[in-house]
Amino acid sequence: MKNRDVERLYSKYIMNTYTHLPISLARGKGSRVWDLEQNEYLDLFPGWGVSILGHSPSKVVSHIRNQAGKIIHISNNYYNHLQAKLAQKIVKIAQIDSKVFFCNSGAEANEGAFKLARLYGSGKRYKIITMNDSFHGRTLASLSATGQEKYKECFGPLLEGFMHVPFNDFEALKMSVDDETVAIMLELVQGEGGVNVANYDYIQKIKKLCSERDLLFIADEVQTGMGRTGKWFAYQNFDIEPDIVTLAKGIGGGVPMGAVFAKDRVADCIKPGMHASTFGGSPIVCKAALAVIDTIMSKNLLNNVNNLSKYLKGRLSDLKARYDLVSDIRGVGFMIGMEVKDKGREIFEGCVANGLLINLTHGNILRFLPALNIKKKDIDKAIVILDRVLKEV
Ligand code: PLP
């Protein structure tokens, strides 16, 4: 099969929900992927941030293989020792006394957070304040929470009870809290919204407001979690403890998994029958997720992120100094954005044509979410390609 054959099948049989690059990826290892025609690409946006250890990391692969031969799925009405072990590990790295619920995606994790918040509000408080330019997923509730109108067109009426305020503007946030507000939800580094980093003081003020008004602080760590920002969770860069944290993307190292964890006083509001997910936390995905955490720990990958993030940002800043087109380099850890004044699409497509996979958001922000274990020489190679493309455009 060739790339074009797949494209033809898609046009007949697959719903037209995504824009596509004309590449059919068939194989991957680390930060490299190959398409059906054996073209090789360097992937600095592996699996939209999901493949946090690169493609097919060996420990995750061997855990999945091994578990598949034992048992793949069990109902959540039986105890699952792998789910218990994984939850214990997550609570340990979170350093928050909390309990975990497992599901399958970021939007589903956020749905769990909304339900927990409403339960905590005991039917009297239900409003959740989120930020402009946020992205929380595509289900109707997470879309209602999302602070970008373009995703909502044609899908109204959306769910009541979500308010949006400008990001990094504490006064606007404070003004919009009323007696029905139960929670404030944000991404500590907005990903899809353009790699916008929350100010440290702003987060401290929100945390204080939450304590004063008994509001829940919900951190959407679907993209920032699992070491992406150089700490296990982005909130650890801000010295705070959220009340609820949502996870997905990297947690399973490529297999579909989401999770929400909440401080005990919030988690304990939930009772059997109030929430569930048939596939959530099945043995095979828990085994993969255990391998992800073990690998990040044993290979000291948080250090790798912190060291190479400085290096990557430095190399991108060199490009900024040389090309007037580049207006900003920002981000935390391995969540980095390069803003350009113009020609974002041409640069993005030029990178792909030259064998470098990255992402473009808002038409002018090139995004990099490299695997936590990427090598320095791969960063150097990416910079050579980017340099060439910037020169050409
Ligand atoms: N929240 C954030 C911060 C995200 O970046 C995303 C996806 O990009 C989501 C939620 C939705 O996750 P999913 O696509 O797994 O539902």
Side-chain angles (χ1 to χ4, degrees):
M1 240 182 172
K2 298 266 197 225
N3 290 333
R4 283 305 302 262
D5 302 324
V6 180
E7 207 175 320
R8 269 193 290 274
L9 287 176
Y10 261 63
S11 66
K12 180 147 174 61
Y13 295 110
I14 302 276
M15 279 198 205
N16 191 20
T17 57
Y18 302 95
T19 55
H20 289 102
L21 292 164
I23 301 171
S24 182
L25 293 180
R27 199 161 55 84
K29 192 71 202 158
S31 292
R32 293 278 187 295
V33 274
W34 292 266
D35 68 12
L36 277 176
E37 294 161 24
Q38 307 308 326
N39 298 306
E40 181 179 307
Y41 301 87
L42 175 58
D43 196 355
L44 263 70
F45 205 76
W48 212 270
V50 165
S51 309
I52 202 149
L53 301 176
H55 296 280
S56 295
S58 45
K59 191 160 188 174
V60 174
V61 171
S62 70
H63 272 220
I64 292 173
R65 281 206 176 111
N66 174 284
Q67 186 57 39
K70 290 184 182 163
I71 193 161
I72 294 174
H73 174 79
I74 56 175
S75 143
N76 274 311
N77 297 107
Y78 300 98
Y79 288 116
N80 167 356
H81 71 288
L82 296 168
Q83 201 178 113
K85 272 169 80 172
L86 179 60
Q88 185 185 32
K89 287 220 168 182
I90 290 173
V91 169
K92 189 156 181 237
I93 58 177
Q95 296 177 308
I96 297 179
D97 289 333
S98 50
K99 293 189 178 70
V100 189
F101 172 82
F102 291 103
C103 53
N104 309 286
S105 69
E108 201 189 347
N110 286 338
E111 296 279 334
F114 306 145
K115 285 177 78 175
L116 276 170
R118 285 194 174 192
L119 270 176
Y120 186 78
S122 318
K124 294 182 198 81
R125 297 188 297 150
Y126 66 99
K127 289 184 187 163
I128 299 176
I129 302 174
T130 69
M131 306 301 144
N132 290 350
D133 292 326
S134 60
F135 185 80
H136 299 296
R138 306 286 194 145
T139 55
L140 278 175
S142 58
L143 199 56
S144 308
T146 292
Q148 299 189 59
E149 287 310 310
K150 66 179 180 195
Y151 294 121
K152 304 185 184 187
E153 277 162 24
C154 314
F155 295 114
L158 293 177
L159 197 69
E160 238 186 276
F162 289 96
M163 344 263 297
H164 303 99
V165 294
F167 188 55
N168 271 331
D169 181 343
F170 179 70
E171 287 311 314
L173 170 62
K174 196 172 158 194
M175 296 279 289
S176 61
V177 173
D178 65 24
D179 291 344
E180 291 174 326
T181 308
V182 72
I184 296 167
M185 174 172 186
L186 48 76
E187 299 153 85
L188 291 150
V189 184
Q190 291 186 331
E192 208 280 334
V195 194
N196 307 315
V197 185
N199 295 331
Y200 186 89
D201 287 351
Y202 167 70
I203 296 301
Q204 307 310 311
K205 284 183 188 159
I206 297 181
K207 200 63 191 102
K208 187 160 172 281
L209 180 70
C210 287
S211 320
E212 288 164 1
R213 305 282 302 255
D214 189 25
L215 305 172
L216 299 176
F217 188 118
I218 307 176
D220 179 337
E221 296 244 14
V222 166
Q223 192 166 138
T224 51
M226 305 314 294
R228 171 65 60 205
T229 66
K231 302 259 189 193
W232 280 107
F233 302 105
Y235 65 78
Q236 291 164 335
N237 293 298
F238 292 85
D239 308 311
I240 56 145
E241 288 186 4
D243 301 293
I244 304 180
V245 177
T246 59
L247 302 173
K249 292 206 188 279
I251 186 172
V255 296
M257 176 177 255
V260 48
F261 63 86
K263 281 185 175 166
D264 289 338
R265 77 173 203 291
V266 180
D268 292 344
C269 296
I270 211 146
K271 299 283 173 294
M274 285 180 164
H275 196 53
S277 183
T278 302
F279 290 108
S282 74
I284 201 154
V285 293
C286 286
K287 197 74 194 250
L290 284 164
V292 171
I293 295 179
D294 284 354
T295 307
I296 295 174
M297 281 179 174
S298 64
K299 303 245 156 108
N300 229 338
L301 292 181
L302 297 183
N303 271 356
N304 196 54
V305 174
N306 289 314
N307 295 334
L308 287 186
S309 159
K310 283 195 204 102
Y311 182 70
L312 174 54
K313 273 203 207 154
R315 299 289 320 260
L316 291 170
S317 299
D318 291 343
L319 293 179
K320 176 174 174 278
R322 290 183 31 231
Y323 295 98
D324 196 37
L325 197 56
V326 181
S327 51
D328 193 25
I329 308 294
R330 57 177 180 265
V332 185
F334 270 173
M335 200 167 165
I336 297 178
M338 179 170 109
E339 187 166 333
V340 290
K341 291 177 191 153
D342 193 13
K343 305 202 172 179
R345 187 90 217 161
E346 284 103 308
I347 299 168
F348 167 68
E349 285 173 358
C351 285
V352 176
N354 281 275
L356 173 63
L357 304 184
I358 54 171
N359 171 261
L360 175 72
T361 188
H362 289 251
N364 67 331
I365 298 151
L366 298 149
R367 276 204 294 168
F368 307 85
L369 292 178
L372 307 194
N373 53 2
I374 194 169
K375 304 268 186 303
K376 188 162 170 271
K377 66 176 178 359
D378 286 335
I379 292 180
D380 289 334
K381 186 168 179 199
I383 296 293
V384 169
I385 296 174
L386 208 46
D387 191 357
R388 190 187 313 144
V389 173
L390 283 167
K391 205 174 285 165
E392 278 164 12
V393 302

